[in-house]
Amino acid sequence: MARYIFVTGGVVSSLGKGLTSASLAYLLQSRGFKVRIRKLDPYLNVDPGTMSPFQHGEVFVTEDGAETDLDLGHYERFSGVLAKKSDNITTGRIYNDVLNKERKGEYLGKTVQVIPHITDHIKQFIKNESSKEDFVICEIGGIVGDIESLPFIEAIRQFANDIKKKNALFIHLTLVPYLKSSDEIKTKPTQHSVKELRSLGIQPDIIICRSERHIPFEQRKKISLFCNVDIKNVIETVDVRTIYEAPISFFREKLDLQVLNYFKLKSKKSPNLNPWKKITKIILQPKKQVNIAIIGKYVELKDAYKSLDEALTHGGIFNKIKVNLIKIDSEKLKIYQVRNKLKNISGILIPGGFGKRGTDGKIEAIKYARINKIPFFGICYGMQMAIIEFARNQLNLKNATSTEFGKKGLAVIGLMHEWNKDGNIIIGTNKDLGGTMRLGSYDAKLKDNSLIKKIYKLKTIKERHRHRYEVNIAYKDKFEKKGMIFSGLSPDNRLTEIIELKNHPWFIGVQFHPEFKSRPFDPHPLFSSFIKAAKNHK
Ligand code: GLN
């Protein structure tokens, strides 16, 4: 039977519950156990798909096409275990399911209540598809004390009871601040947070204290005493220089050992921290650097392009070079500024995006990359913009556009039902955009003798998608005559998956999101190749 580890947070959010869970998963795996990680999010959205990246950071897409919390990206990157639809749930989805059941009369006339109906549904989710796992780590979003998280806390309390407490472990991650004025480390917020948790019926077994500096023995003792936790289970996590140090730091603090001790389990093998040490060294002691511009709408929020930033870093690890991410706000990028802003840049990347705002600067930047032979990487929306740029400036189709921007113009990009076989648009058949997203993993066939085939060294690839609009295939021949190669197509040849340019060292656009599949120990070939091209660019 699986053992369950619940990770809650206290005092403030953004303490790194996701990274803690992901690091613990790696360490347990490395000791020979099978681990799954799940995220329970307290907000009311049914999934994060409709949330703005400004609000919630990136939406991470799983192989099976779920739009999930970005923490699932950390889980995949750290543990290598592919996340599934069934690994992320929100309050919104739970209520949605319960209310649907209620409408169908499945509660047989009973009063439907938070306890037991909502909590039962949460418990079912936690247990779902976990019989083959040694450990299931469940991270509860938000912090203890939030109104929204109450049903989750109640559900995990009941769950631990249901499966017998010895099979469930509660980890509480809190902040232990350092006060400069008095030169002191303060344990009070942690005490309060644990008090709050205990008032909800949960006594933490391990407390992880996030702190700017090392926590002296005296303060650990205090936390142990006031919070009723064995001193060995008061674990510190001091700010790391790069996230890749997190597993090393938790190993040093014996987090994984304390978890095994709790469950009275013996390690099956000794963990291997060498890969983390190796990449940490490359990241912290780089010999060379390369500047990559990311031109997007959501650059102000650090987490809005999380997987992308990670994948570019992985590309840097592969090439043993530090990648400086220069984020440029596309909405503020004026056409006349492009040349100047991109002066010291060795690679230009346009990431995924939605809507018309900020397109002019992006299109100009693509033109600049194309003409000046600067490595260019267009992802999803970025590829669609590259198509529009090429149509306008190389095919002289000045009104080329995407139907995402309105009904006027020549739809070189559009919803599939909007084009007929001559490429003329038929607009207005379906106003409802919901449910028209192409989500999850799809195949693409790669063209012989193309750059993309050289990069992947494969005939067919599988990559994750998240978009509504597609390249209008009716224009393919026109584009190809002018030097654009449609080097990746869907198996039925209808959908454009990859484009590249003939007379350019590295100009690639992909309709999918390769960043979701890149791993620190297994960098995605597209990112390794892009960074290599940028490194070689003078
Ligand atoms: N807005 C575009 C579409 O829906 C691109 C989406 C994206 O970049 N993920 O097709």
Side-chain angles (χ1 to χ4, degrees), residues 90-228:
T90 68
T91 300
R93 163 137 357 248
I94 290 164
Y95 273 82
N96 207 36
D97 292 353
V98 168
L99 292 177
N100 281 339
K101 264 173 92 175
E102 186 272 338
R103 289 291 85 185
K104 285 189 194 139
E106 288 181 27
Y107 293 108
L108 306 173
K110 286 198 190 102
T111 310
V112 180
Q113 293 177 301
V114 174
I115 306 172
H117 302 102
I118 296 293
T119 46
D120 277 355
H121 202 73
I122 298 172
K123 290 197 282 182
Q124 210 179 336
F125 163 78
I126 295 170
K127 210 165 191 168
N128 197 15
E129 291 174 28
S130 61
S131 56
K132 294 202 184 88
E133 311 294 334
D134 294 315
F135 292 104
V136 178
I137 301 176
C138 287
E139 179 193 342
I140 320 293
I143 59 171
V144 169
D146 291 344
I147 290 179
E148 286 95 339
S149 60
L150 283 175
F152 286 120
I153 304 288
E154 170 61 14
I156 62 175
R157 183 194 68 74
Q158 291 178 15
F159 190 91
N161 231 2
D162 295 349
I163 62 163
K164 297 212 166 56
K165 180 62 186 71
K166 66 177 191 333
N167 296 314
L169 169 81
F170 292 114
I171 296 181
H172 191 54
L173 176 65
T174 72
L175 178 71
V176 178
Y178 165 72
L179 291 193
K180 218 173 168 183
S181 52
S182 57
D183 189 27
E184 273 182 307
I185 287 208
K186 291 301 203 185
T187 63
K188 203 53 131 195
T190 298
Q191 294 177 35
H192 275 293
S193 180
V194 170
K195 208 166 147 195
E196 179 85 38
L197 196 58
R198 280 156 80 180
S199 74
L200 301 170
I202 290 178
Q203 163 66 47
D205 303 297
I206 293 179
I207 297 180
I208 301 181
C209 309
R210 174 83 188 261
S211 172
E212 259 177 70
R213 7 185 108 196
H214 287 289
I215 303 173
F217 184 71
E218 274 313 303
Q219 267 79 6
R220 287 202 194 205
K221 239 167 71 184
K222 216 165 156 187
I223 294 173
S224 159
L225 180 69
F226 283 96
C227 302
N228 206 21

Side-chain angles (χ1 to χ4, degrees), residues 480-508:
E480 291 199 317
K481 267 192 202 116
K482 287 279 181 185
M484 184 175 267
I485 309 164
F486 284 52
S487 55
L489 293 175
S490 59
D492 67 358
N493 295 327
R494 275 165 61 83
L495 304 176
T496 307
E497 293 282 358
I498 304 154
I499 53 139
E500 56 189 74
L501 287 186
K502 229 184 224 159
N503 298 314
H504 195 290
W506 212 101
F507 189 107
I508 290 182

Side-chain angles (χ1 to χ4, degrees), residues 350-355 379-385 402 404-405 413-415 436-438 465-470 510-513 515-516:
I350 313 267
F354 292 84
I379 293 182
C380 201
Y381 189 87
M383 170 179 114
Q384 297 175 357
M385 292 308 108
S402 164
E404 185 173 3
F405 307 154
I413 310 289
L415 295 175
T436 54
M437 236 357 162
R438 188 149 76 107
H465 293 65
R466 179 178 183 244
H467 61 109
R468 293 193 175 91
Y469 297 86
E470 302 280 356
V510 294
Q511 186 56 78
F512 46 80
H513 291 271
E515 67 271 26
F516 293 140

